[in-house]
Every structure is written in C-alpha cells, then in structure tokens.
Amino acid sequence: MKKITYTDQLNRNVEVLQSPKRIVSLVPSQTELLVALGLLDKIVGVTKFCVHPSTIRKQKRVVGGTKDIHLDKIRSLKPDIVLCNKEENTKEIVQLLEKEFTVHVSDISSIPDSLEMIHQYGDIFDKKSQAYDLISIIRKECRLFKEFVKNIPQKRVAYFIWRKPWMLAGRNTFIDYLLGLNNYFNVISYERYPEISVEELSKLKDIDILLLSSEPFPFSETHMNELKLIIPNVEIKLVDGEYFSWYGSRLKDAFDYFRTLH
C-alpha cells in the first residue's frame, strides 16, 4: 500500500499509509477533533481521558492514560497511526511507540499551531474539505472575538490548574495564549506550569482575577474559599478548562464561552 511522507509539528518526517484506516489517539482534544472531521469509524483506541464525545470510551478500546499507556493493548489494535502531543504525552512514550508504529506528534502553543494541526489531519486522513470548513469557522469566530474584546480593559490574572501542590499556567502555553486573546495579562512569568507555595501565593500583587480551571484538577467553591484566605480582596472565578486548553474542534465554540467571562 502506498505511503506518503508528512512532517509533523516537531519537524519529524512521518511515513503514513495513504488515508490510514486504524487510528489510536492518545490526546483527548485530538480525539474530539477526529470525530468532528468524520473519522469516528477509523478510531480504534483512545485514552481514559478522552471524554468527548461522551460515548467514545464505550465504543473504542481504552489503551491507558496520556502518560501511562498499555503497549500490549495498542499492539492488539494494529494501528496504522498513533496520534500524540508533545505536552500531553512524554518523550519516552513517543520513542517507545515509534519503534513499532507510525507516530504523529502535535505541538500546540497558539491558535495558528492548532489550525496547522487540523490542516495536517485533513491531509493525512483525506478530510481536506471538513478540515477547511472547521478552520474557516475558527478563524471567523476568533476574528469576531478580537473585535469584541478590543475595548475591554485589560485584567491581570493567574490561572490555576492544580491543587497539592498549587500549579498555575505560565508563559509559552496554549492557556497563556488564550488568556492573551481574552485581554487577560498572565501575572505568572515562569515558563510552562510552575508549582507555587502558599507563601509565594500570598505575595502575588496587583491581581484582578484568579481563574480556577475545571481540569485537570476539578476546582470548586471550596478551593475558592481557601484562596480567599490566602489572597484576599481578589475576584475568583471558576472557568471551563476545556475551552482554555483543548485545541481541536472545541475552539469553534470557545469564543462564545469567553464572551460570558466579560
């Protein structure tokens, strides 16, 4: 069967069967994207964190988590391609898998990166028109949202993703990029996802809003009250983490959600 060489988002050359028919996705956001592109019947394996659509884990074989895969289960599915992400999956997982399978790795830190991935999937899986339509919708919604927020005063924010230890979204992350689109200035100057002590939290100054994400840690009102004692006199909001961190087809609806935050 004919193979075509593609370059993934880590600039790796990936030899892929023409229009792969058996896909294992190790990234929840990308699983949802595959379904949106009309590829549900081609997916054979997913992770335990692939929750959209809600029936996907009952329909497909669960092959572990994003960082703790079951190689034997993946082998049994005989995938034509395994889809990974630089941040969601470890380098060790990618290196292990590519010894036996074709592995495509995405690397997303901005909406242009997301659109590039969608375009690549359209090419690889012979879904060019569906990918084009989705990209057009996301670009349009993003443009309209930028018009919506351009006259809204900037707010200084900290975006929490974990408890015990406290962890926040730092710079050079997809979350940080979307915070910027919302005219939120991220007060966390560290790279990636730094841990921060209670003492450091108490010293954070000039913050307008603390944003507590629904995932990966499910923050609740209990944690809002806890943070009020550490950082008093600051507005605290619970936010839908999927809209801030899922970079596939969910983006087409993200901007309507972001309007509700302003």
Side-chain angles (χ1 to χ4, degrees), residues 29-237:
S29 180
Q30 293 169 197
T31 299
E32 184 181 43
L33 170 60
L34 293 172
V35 175
L37 293 177
L39 291 161
L40 177 62
D41 62 328
K42 303 277 181 72
I43 301 170
V44 293
V46 298
T47 75
K48 61 186 177 183
F49 301 115
C50 293
V51 295
H52 296 295
S54 60
T55 56
I56 193 77
R57 289 174 297 174
K58 293 180 180 178
Q59 295 173 292
K60 309 299 178 179
R61 185 86 183 271
V62 175
V63 297
T66 54
K67 293 178 172 61
D68 56 344
I69 60 168
H70 298 296
L71 186 58
D72 57 331
K73 293 181 180 179
I74 295 176
R75 280 196 190 109
S76 71
L77 295 171
K78 297 180 170 57
D80 295 326
I81 190 168
V82 180
L83 303 179
C84 293
N85 172 264
K86 181 182 177 182
E87 185 170 281
E88 290 276 357
N89 313 117
T90 65
K91 184 177 180 180
E92 290 73 24
I93 283 176
V94 172
Q95 290 175 337
L96 179 67
L97 289 169
E98 65 185 357
K99 291 177 182 177
E100 300 184 42
F101 312 106
T102 296
V103 180
H104 180 283
V105 185
S106 63
D107 183 16
I108 313 291
S109 58
S110 68
I111 285 182
D113 291 340
S114 301
L115 300 184
E116 179 186 60
M117 178 190 67
I118 295 169
H119 177 77
Q120 287 186 2
Y121 280 16
D123 282 347
I124 292 170
F125 300 112
D126 197 22
K127 293 289 183 179
K128 291 184 177 66
S129 64
Q130 292 89 336
Y132 176 83
D133 289 345
L134 180 56
I135 289 168
S136 297
I137 291 169
I138 293 170
R139 281 180 172 154
K140 176 185 175 184
E141 293 300 322
C142 184
R143 183 176 68 252
L144 292 173
F145 182 71
K146 286 179 178 178
E147 285 294 312
F148 171 79
V149 296
K150 70 179 182 180
N151 294 319
I152 294 176
Q154 187 181 69
K155 299 282 189 179
R156 294 172 59 84
V157 306
Y159 187 103
F160 287 75
I161 62 165
W162 200 257
R163 172 73 182 93
K164 292 186 179 179
W166 295 106
M167 293 178 68
L168 298 97
R171 301 295 169 83
N172 293 321
T173 60
F174 188 61
I175 293 171
D176 182 62
Y177 183 90
L178 290 184
L179 290 175
L181 276 185
N182 276 273
N183 212 13
Y184 290 147
F185 177 80
N186 188 358
V187 301
I188 304 303
S189 59
Y190 299 108
E191 298 281 309
R192 311 307 293 166
Y193 303 101
E195 296 181 13
I196 190 166
S197 67
V198 170
E199 182 182 6
E200 288 175 298
L201 279 177
S202 66
K203 292 178 180 177
L204 290 175
K205 303 294 183 183
D206 301 322
I207 300 178
D208 298 306
I209 310 172
L210 302 181
L211 301 174
L212 309 189
S213 181
S214 61
E215 63 129 52
F217 184 87
F219 283 100
S220 66
E221 288 192 16
T222 299
H223 306 104
M224 293 176 70
N225 294 330
E226 184 178 5
L227 282 166
K228 284 176 183 176
L229 296 176
I230 301 171
I231 313 174
N233 305 317
V234 174
E235 182 182 359
I236 303 177
K237 287 184 179 181

